[in-house]
Structure formats: structure tokens, C-alpha cells
Amino acid sequence: MPGQVETELLTAIARFAGPVRGVGVSLISVFGVLSVPTEALPLGLGLLGLVLIGAVADFRSPRLSFVLAVVRVVALCAAHDELGGTGQWTFNVLTTTAITAQWQWSPKVTVPTTAALLAVYVTAAGFDGAAVLRVVVECAVALAAFRLVRRSSRRVDELRTRRAAMERAEAVALERRGREREYLALLHDTASATFLVVAVDGREADQAEVAGYARRDLDLLTGTSGVPRDSAVDVGSSLRAVVEHSPLAVDARWESALVPASVALALVRAVREALANVERHAGTGAAEVHVRAIGGGVEVRVADSGRGFDVGAVSDHRRGIRGSVVERMAAVGGTAEVTSRPGRTTVRLAWPRG
């Protein structure tokens, strides 16, 4: 099946081939009438009228146009001797008709039709090898040009189809990589963090506390929010459950700030990870969560007064800050900044980026 570009090309050619032929043979015929002998002028004017009727059909009806195109060539051939016998009017109409026919109809129609019209012309005007060769060459060139342009349009369609397929494959790959990053970040936030507690604390870990972590992990890994990703939600309401379920004493203060659900989800998970880091590494049982609306966006700060750490010394392989916080915010068009010193660690989350 022809592609979009090829279809548009064929439609344009089918639309303009007839008018081009109609205008061309009309102009030729006007000058042809001026060249006929005076005694043949009435016949010339009658033939001009036939040509003009055919030209109207060239603009309006392709099927009728084909019939009248053949009729006017045959009529001019039949009147060849009466028109002075030079044959230029007839020959020029014949070549214009034959050339434009290659663009509008298939070779199954145009080849026998052109051969028949040439035979009629030769019968009326006598055999002229140069004229016959000219018609054949011009028709062949016209057909070759048409097929070349059509093949080029088909190639454009193929390239567009291939490009669209590549763009779809790239989009799927990007989506897959995004989901993989999200999965790794969520896995770090949940199961791997719980495993780390068990591995570090060993027998000293509180079994009830570890069981509570595991239950929360299971809820996060199997639960869904049920909120459309493009709907607007309030950041404070989204973070309230995180704060309430945190074992830390959280000083929470927030302003009303509406953001897309996907952004709110990223903020919730980033704040949850930040609070988990406070709980597991800061050596303090308290934290602060402040939400502030900024223009059409939001800023969330998670701070603690714990032991702090060297942000620059954190390995790229550790996904807590890089994967669960920084990359997660970047994925939704936001930013995450972490500053830390003994006695004060702050995680600043902002959306949109700026």
C-alpha cells in the first residue's frame, strides 16, 4: 500500500495532470488557428471549440477527459490536409496529450493509446521517423520521470516509517530504563534497606522493628496509589501519611501546593528515603519536614540535627541519595540537593527545576 507521501504525490499529479494538458493544448490550438489558411478558418475555429470543450473536461472529469483527449487528436489528424498540411498544430497537441497521459493513467492504457494515435497521425501526415522517435522518447522520459519521483516519495515513506519505528523503540527503551531505575530506587528504599539493618545490627536488631520494616516494604512493593498520573494532588496531603508512619518525631509544617500526581509520588518516595536515612544513620530520633509553595511549584526540606556525613564521599554505587532522591526528582523535572555537616543535614527537593 502506498504511504502518505506517495499517496499525496499521486493525488497531486492526478489533480494537476489534466489541467496542465487542458491549458497546454488550448494555447497550442489558439496559435494553431492563427496559422491556418483563411479558407480553413471556420474549420480551425470549430476544432478550437472542440479543444476548449476537452480542456473543460481536463479540469473536471478525468474519465471524460481521456475520451475527449483522444477525440481531439483524431479530429485534428482527420483535418490535417484542410488545415494546411503542416501538421505542427496536430503534432504538438499529440505530444502534449501523450506526455501528460503518462502521469495520469497507467502504461496499460497509455502505451496502446499512444501507439494508436501515432498510427492515426502517420496515416494522415505521412511517416516521419524523427517525429515518431520524438514522441516515443518524450513519452518514455515522462514516464521515467514520473516513476523516479514516485520511487523517491516511496523511499521517503519508508524512511519515515523506519524513523517512527526507531522513535517508538527509543521511547520504549527510555520507559523501560526509567522503570528499571524506579524499581532499583524503590528496592533500595524498601527491602535492601531492611536487609542492611539486619546485616549491620545482626542479633542486636529489634525483631519487632525489623518485622515492621518488612511489612511496610511489602505494602510499598505491592500497593498502588490509584491516582491518575496527570491529576493534580496536594503535596502536604500526600506527605501526611509518610510523616505519620515514620518512627521519628517529625516536626511537619506545610503549605498547600498542587502538583501532578507523578511529581507528588516522586516527592513522597524521596521524603520517605530521606526520613529512612535519618532513622538509620543520623543517630537522632527527630526530623523536620517543611513544605513551601513557590510560584507554580513546591519546595520540600527534610532536615535533622544528627551526626551528619560527607556528601562528596558517598560512592556512586550507593543508590540511596543518587537513585532514590536525586535521579527520582530529576526524572519528573525537579531537583534534589543534599548538604550535611555535623549537627545539620538538609535534603532540599524542588519542583519544577529552576
Side-chain angles (χ1 to χ4, degrees):
M1 293 295 293
Q4 180 181 358
V5 175
E6 185 178 0
T7 300
E8 291 177 353
L9 172 68
L10 295 177
T11 301
I13 291 176
R15 180 181 302 170
F16 293 109
V20 168
R21 179 173 56 253
V23 171
V25 298
S26 295
L27 292 175
I28 292 170
S29 298
V30 169
F31 287 103
V33 169
L34 298 177
S35 66
V36 300
T38 303
E39 62 273 12
L41 187 58
L43 177 60
L45 291 174
L47 292 172
L48 176 60
L50 176 63
V51 170
L52 294 177
I53 293 173
V56 173
D58 286 328
F59 276 85
R60 294 181 175 274
S61 174
R63 182 173 299 180
L64 182 59
S65 170
F66 176 79
V67 175
L68 291 178
V70 173
V71 168
R72 65 192 169 201
V73 174
V74 172
L76 285 168
C77 289
H80 177 265
D81 292 335
E82 289 79 1
L83 295 176
T86 61
Q88 287 304 309
W89 181 4
T90 304
F91 183 74
N92 289 334
V93 170
L94 169 62
T95 55
T96 302
T97 300
I99 290 172
T100 55
Q102 312 304 317
W103 306 337
Q104 195 169 11
W105 297 291
S106 71
K108 293 180 180 180
V109 175
T110 59
V111 171
T113 301
T114 302
L117 293 178
L118 270 175
V120 172
Y121 175 77
V122 170
T123 301
F127 181 77
D128 184 346
V132 173
L133 180 62
R134 176 183 167 183
V135 173
V136 172
V137 171
E138 288 180 349
C139 290
V141 171
L143 181 59
F146 169 75
R147 290 189 170 179
L148 179 62
V149 173
R150 182 174 182 178
R151 182 177 300 176
S152 298
S153 67
R154 188 175 300 166
R155 178 62 176 169
V156 171
D157 280 323
E158 292 173 355
L159 292 175
R160 290 178 63 177
T161 300
R162 188 178 305 172
R163 179 179 178 182
M166 293 176 63
E167 289 177 349
R168 287 194 298 270
E170 183 180 2
V172 170
L174 289 174
E175 178 67 17
R176 183 182 296 114
R177 287 196 293 270
R179 290 184 179 182
E180 289 174 354
R181 287 195 298 268
E182 179 63 23
Y183 170 77
L184 291 174
L186 185 59
L187 187 63
H188 173 275
D189 295 353
T190 55
S192 62
T194 301
F195 292 153
L196 180 62
V197 171
V198 175
V200 172
D201 295 340
R203 295 171 180 254
E204 298 178 0
D206 188 315
Q207 294 184 4
E209 186 178 26
V210 172
Y213 289 157
R215 281 192 296 271
R216 289 200 302 271
D217 295 345
L218 183 61
D219 290 339
L220 290 172
L221 290 171
T222 59
T224 56
S225 65
V227 179
R229 294 182 63 84
D230 58 350
S231 63
V233 298
D234 182 66
V235 176
S237 299
S238 302
L239 292 176
R240 183 173 285 107
V242 177
V243 171
E244 291 175 352
H245 287 86
S246 174
L248 300 170
V250 181
D251 176 15
R253 287 178 287 174
W254 43 60
E255 300 174 0
S256 178
L258 295 177
V259 298
S262 58
V263 176
L265 180 60
L267 288 169
V268 166
R269 290 175 173 173
V271 169
R272 182 186 293 117
E273 173 62 16
L275 292 176
N277 284 337
V278 174
E279 178 187 353
R280 292 161 179 160
H281 307 299
T284 180
E288 302 171 5
V289 176
H290 295 169
V291 179
R292 185 163 62 99
I294 303 178
V298 65
E299 179 188 77
V300 180
R301 290 181 180 268
V302 180
D304 69 83
S305 55
R307 62 174 64 97
F309 65 98
D310 185 355
V311 177
V314 177
S315 171
D316 289 340
H317 299 289
R318 297 289 298 277
R319 297 197 58 84
I321 294 176
R322 182 170 63 88
S324 296
V325 179
V326 178
E327 289 185 0
R328 180 169 277 156
M329 290 302 301
V332 294
T335 58
E337 299 175 358
V338 181
T339 58
S340 183
R341 56 180 173 78
R344 191 66 177 177
T345 297
T346 302
V347 177
R348 178 183 176 273
L349 311 172
W351 182 89
R353 183 181 289 112

Short mmCIF file of all heavy atoms in Angstrom, two decimals, residues 44-79:
data_model
loop_
_atom_site.label_atom_id
_atom_site.label_comp_id
_atom_site.label_asym_id
_atom_site.label_seq_id
_atom_site.Cartn_x
_atom_site.Cartn_y
_atom_site.Cartn_z
N GLY A 44 -10.94 25.60 -38.48
CA GLY A 44 -9.99 25.79 -37.38
C GLY A 44 -10.68 26.24 -36.11
O GLY A 44 -10.37 25.80 -35.00
N LEU A 45 -11.63 27.17 -36.26
CA LEU A 45 -12.37 27.64 -35.09
C LEU A 45 -13.21 26.52 -34.48
O LEU A 45 -13.36 26.43 -33.26
CB LEU A 45 -13.25 28.82 -35.48
CG LEU A 45 -12.51 30.11 -35.84
CD1 LEU A 45 -13.48 31.18 -36.35
CD2 LEU A 45 -11.73 30.63 -34.64
N GLY A 46 -13.81 25.69 -35.35
CA GLY A 46 -14.58 24.56 -34.83
C GLY A 46 -13.70 23.60 -34.04
O GLY A 46 -14.08 23.10 -32.98
N LEU A 47 -12.49 23.33 -34.58
CA LEU A 47 -11.57 22.45 -33.85
C LEU A 47 -11.10 23.11 -32.54
O LEU A 47 -10.92 22.42 -31.53
CB LEU A 47 -10.37 22.12 -34.73
CG LEU A 47 -10.68 21.23 -35.95
CD1 LEU A 47 -9.47 21.13 -36.86
CD2 LEU A 47 -11.11 19.83 -35.48
N LEU A 48 -10.93 24.42 -32.57
CA LEU A 48 -10.56 25.13 -31.33
C LEU A 48 -11.66 24.97 -30.29
O LEU A 48 -11.38 24.77 -29.10
CB LEU A 48 -10.31 26.61 -31.62
CG LEU A 48 -10.02 27.50 -30.40
CD1 LEU A 48 -8.78 27.02 -29.67
CD2 LEU A 48 -9.89 28.97 -30.82
N GLY A 49 -12.92 25.07 -30.75
CA GLY A 49 -14.03 24.86 -29.81
C GLY A 49 -14.00 23.47 -29.21
O GLY A 49 -14.25 23.28 -28.01
N LEU A 50 -13.70 22.45 -30.04
CA LEU A 50 -13.60 21.07 -29.53
C LEU A 50 -12.48 20.95 -28.50
O LEU A 50 -12.64 20.30 -27.46
CB LEU A 50 -13.37 20.11 -30.70
CG LEU A 50 -13.14 18.64 -30.32
CD1 LEU A 50 -14.38 18.07 -29.63
CD2 LEU A 50 -12.79 17.81 -31.56
N VAL A 51 -11.38 21.62 -28.79
CA VAL A 51 -10.24 21.58 -27.85
C VAL A 51 -10.62 22.23 -26.52
O VAL A 51 -10.29 21.72 -25.44
CB VAL A 51 -9.02 22.27 -28.48
CG1 VAL A 51 -7.92 22.46 -27.43
CG2 VAL A 51 -8.47 21.45 -29.64
N LEU A 52 -11.32 23.36 -26.61
CA LEU A 52 -11.70 24.05 -25.37
C LEU A 52 -12.70 23.24 -24.55
O LEU A 52 -12.64 23.23 -23.32
CB LEU A 52 -12.28 25.43 -25.70
CG LEU A 52 -11.30 26.42 -26.33
CD1 LEU A 52 -12.01 27.73 -26.69
CD2 LEU A 52 -10.13 26.68 -25.40
N ILE A 53 -13.63 22.55 -25.24
CA ILE A 53 -14.55 21.65 -24.51
C ILE A 53 -13.76 20.55 -23.80
O ILE A 53 -14.03 20.21 -22.63
CB ILE A 53 -15.58 21.06 -25.49
CG1 ILE A 53 -16.52 22.16 -26.01
CG2 ILE A 53 -16.40 19.97 -24.80
CD1 ILE A 53 -17.45 21.70 -27.10
N GLY A 54 -12.80 20.00 -24.52
CA GLY A 54 -11.94 18.98 -23.89
C GLY A 54 -11.15 19.52 -22.72
O GLY A 54 -10.92 18.83 -21.73
N ALA A 55 -10.73 20.80 -22.84
CA ALA A 55 -9.97 21.41 -21.74
C ALA A 55 -10.83 21.54 -20.49
O ALA A 55 -10.34 21.36 -19.36
CB ALA A 55 -9.45 22.78 -22.18
N VAL A 56 -12.11 21.86 -20.67
CA VAL A 56 -13.03 21.92 -19.51
C VAL A 56 -13.10 20.55 -18.85
O VAL A 56 -13.07 20.43 -17.61
CB VAL A 56 -14.42 22.40 -19.96
CG1 VAL A 56 -15.40 22.30 -18.79
CG2 VAL A 56 -14.36 23.83 -20.47
N ALA A 57 -13.20 19.49 -19.67
CA ALA A 57 -13.22 18.13 -19.11
C ALA A 57 -11.91 17.80 -18.42
O ALA A 57 -11.89 17.07 -17.42
CB ALA A 57 -13.50 17.13 -20.22
N ASP A 58 -10.79 18.34 -18.92
CA ASP A 58 -9.49 18.11 -18.27
C ASP A 58 -9.48 18.64 -16.84
O ASP A 58 -8.81 18.09 -15.97
CB ASP A 58 -8.38 18.79 -19.07
CG ASP A 58 -8.05 18.04 -20.35
OD1 ASP A 58 -8.18 16.81 -20.36
OD2 ASP A 58 -7.68 18.70 -21.34
N PHE A 59 -10.24 19.69 -16.60
CA PHE A 59 -10.31 20.27 -15.26
C PHE A 59 -11.31 19.55 -14.37
O PHE A 59 -11.15 19.55 -13.15
CB PHE A 59 -10.69 21.75 -15.35
CG PHE A 59 -9.53 22.67 -15.62
CD1 PHE A 59 -9.11 22.90 -16.92
CD2 PHE A 59 -8.86 23.30 -14.58
CE1 PHE A 59 -8.05 23.75 -17.18
CE2 PHE A 59 -7.80 24.14 -14.83
CZ PHE A 59 -7.39 24.37 -16.14
N ARG A 60 -12.33 18.93 -14.96
CA ARG A 60 -13.46 18.45 -14.16
C ARG A 60 -13.63 16.94 -14.12
O ARG A 60 -14.05 16.40 -13.09
CB ARG A 60 -14.76 19.09 -14.68
CG ARG A 60 -14.82 20.59 -14.48
CD ARG A 60 -16.14 21.16 -14.97
NE ARG A 60 -16.26 22.59 -14.69
CZ ARG A 60 -16.71 23.09 -13.55
NH1 ARG A 60 -17.11 22.29 -12.59
NH2 ARG A 60 -16.79 24.40 -13.37
N SER A 61 -13.34 16.24 -15.21
CA SER A 61 -13.67 14.80 -15.27
C SER A 61 -12.55 14.02 -15.93
O SER A 61 -12.40 14.05 -17.16
CB SER A 61 -14.98 14.59 -16.05
OG SER A 61 -15.24 13.21 -16.24
N PRO A 62 -11.73 13.30 -15.15
CA PRO A 62 -10.63 12.53 -15.74
C PRO A 62 -11.10 11.50 -16.76
O PRO A 62 -10.45 11.30 -17.79
CB PRO A 62 -9.99 11.86 -14.52
CG PRO A 62 -10.35 12.74 -13.37
CD PRO A 62 -11.71 13.26 -13.68
N ARG A 63 -12.22 10.84 -16.48
CA ARG A 63 -12.68 9.80 -17.41
C ARG A 63 -13.12 10.42 -18.74
O ARG A 63 -12.72 9.95 -19.82
CB ARG A 63 -13.84 9.03 -16.78
CG ARG A 63 -14.36 7.90 -17.64
CD ARG A 63 -15.38 7.07 -16.89
NE ARG A 63 -14.78 6.46 -15.70
CZ ARG A 63 -15.45 5.69 -14.85
NH1 ARG A 63 -16.74 5.44 -15.04
NH2 ARG A 63 -14.84 5.18 -13.80
N LEU A 64 -13.94 11.47 -18.71
CA LEU A 64 -14.35 12.14 -19.93
C LEU A 64 -13.17 12.82 -20.60
O LEU A 64 -13.09 12.91 -21.84
CB LEU A 64 -15.44 13.17 -19.60
CG LEU A 64 -16.03 13.96 -20.78
CD1 LEU A 64 -16.66 13.00 -21.80
CD2 LEU A 64 -17.06 14.97 -20.28
N SER A 65 -12.22 13.28 -19.80
CA SER A 65 -11.02 13.94 -20.33
C SER A 65 -10.24 12.99 -21.23
O SER A 65 -9.74 13.39 -22.29
CB SER A 65 -10.14 14.42 -19.19
OG SER A 65 -8.89 14.86 -19.67
N PHE A 66 -10.14 11.73 -20.84
CA PHE A 66 -9.40 10.76 -21.64
C PHE A 66 -10.06 10.58 -23.01
O PHE A 66 -9.39 10.58 -24.04
CB PHE A 66 -9.34 9.42 -20.90
CG PHE A 66 -8.67 8.32 -21.68
CD1 PHE A 66 -7.30 8.26 -21.76
CD2 PHE A 66 -9.43 7.37 -22.35
CE1 PHE A 66 -6.68 7.26 -22.48
CE2 PHE A 66 -8.82 6.36 -23.07
CZ PHE A 66 -7.43 6.31 -23.14
N VAL A 67 -11.36 10.45 -23.00
CA VAL A 67 -12.09 10.24 -24.27
C VAL A 67 -11.92 11.45 -25.18
O VAL A 67 -11.60 11.32 -26.37
CB VAL A 67 -13.58 9.98 -23.98
CG1 VAL A 67 -14.37 9.89 -25.30
CG2 VAL A 67 -13.75 8.70 -23.17
N LEU A 68 -12.12 12.65 -24.66
CA LEU A 68 -12.02 13.86 -25.47
C LEU A 68 -10.59 14.13 -25.92
O LEU A 68 -10.37 14.72 -27.00
CB LEU A 68 -12.57 15.06 -24.71
CG LEU A 68 -14.09 15.04 -24.47
CD1 LEU A 68 -14.52 16.26 -23.66
CD2 LEU A 68 -14.82 15.01 -25.80
N ALA A 69 -9.59 13.72 -25.09
CA ALA A 69 -8.19 13.89 -25.50
C ALA A 69 -7.91 13.08 -26.75
O ALA A 69 -7.22 13.54 -27.68
CB ALA A 69 -7.27 13.47 -24.36
N VAL A 70 -8.44 11.85 -26.81
CA VAL A 70 -8.27 11.01 -27.99
C VAL A 70 -9.05 11.59 -29.17
O VAL A 70 -8.54 11.66 -30.31
CB VAL A 70 -8.72 9.56 -27.68
CG1 VAL A 70 -8.71 8.72 -28.96
CG2 VAL A 70 -7.83 8.94 -26.62
N VAL A 71 -10.27 12.04 -28.91
CA VAL A 71 -11.12 12.56 -29.98
C VAL A 71 -10.50 13.78 -30.65
O VAL A 71 -10.49 13.92 -31.88
CB VAL A 71 -12.53 12.88 -29.43
CG1 VAL A 71 -13.34 13.69 -30.46
CG2 VAL A 71 -13.26 11.60 -29.07
N ARG A 72 -9.95 14.71 -29.86
CA ARG A 72 -9.42 15.93 -30.47
C ARG A 72 -8.16 15.66 -31.29
O ARG A 72 -7.92 16.31 -32.31
CB ARG A 72 -9.17 17.00 -29.41
CG ARG A 72 -8.14 16.71 -28.38
CD ARG A 72 -8.22 17.71 -27.25
NE ARG A 72 -7.41 17.32 -26.11
CZ ARG A 72 -7.60 17.77 -24.88
NH1 ARG A 72 -8.59 18.62 -24.63
NH2 ARG A 72 -6.83 17.38 -23.89
N VAL A 73 -7.33 14.70 -30.84
CA VAL A 73 -6.16 14.35 -31.66
C VAL A 73 -6.61 13.72 -32.98
O VAL A 73 -6.10 14.06 -34.07
CB VAL A 73 -5.22 13.39 -30.90
CG1 VAL A 73 -4.09 12.91 -31.81
CG2 VAL A 73 -4.63 14.09 -29.68
N VAL A 74 -7.57 12.80 -32.92
CA VAL A 74 -8.08 12.16 -34.13
C VAL A 74 -8.73 13.20 -35.05
O VAL A 74 -8.54 13.17 -36.28
CB VAL A 74 -9.09 11.05 -33.77
CG1 VAL A 74 -9.77 10.50 -35.04
CG2 VAL A 74 -8.39 9.92 -33.00
N ALA A 75 -9.48 14.13 -34.48
CA ALA A 75 -10.13 15.17 -35.28
C ALA A 75 -9.11 16.06 -35.98
O ALA A 75 -9.26 16.41 -37.17
CB ALA A 75 -11.04 16.01 -34.40
N LEU A 76 -8.05 16.43 -35.28
CA LEU A 76 -7.00 17.25 -35.90
C LEU A 76 -6.28 16.48 -37.00
O LEU A 76 -5.92 17.06 -38.04
CB LEU A 76 -6.01 17.71 -34.83
CG LEU A 76 -6.51 18.84 -33.90
CD1 LEU A 76 -5.58 19.01 -32.71
CD2 LEU A 76 -6.64 20.16 -34.67
N CYS A 77 -6.06 15.18 -36.78
CA CYS A 77 -5.42 14.36 -37.81
C CYS A 77 -6.32 14.27 -39.05
O CYS A 77 -5.84 14.34 -40.20
CB CYS A 77 -5.12 12.97 -37.28
SG CYS A 77 -3.78 12.91 -36.06
N ALA A 78 -7.64 14.11 -38.83
CA ALA A 78 -8.58 14.00 -39.95
C ALA A 78 -8.63 15.28 -40.75
O ALA A 78 -8.86 15.26 -41.98
CB ALA A 78 -9.97 13.64 -39.43
N ALA A 79 -8.41 16.43 -40.10
CA ALA A 79 -8.46 17.72 -40.79
C ALA A 79 -7.08 18.21 -41.20
O ALA A 79 -6.91 19.39 -41.52
CB ALA A 79 -9.13 18.76 -39.88
#
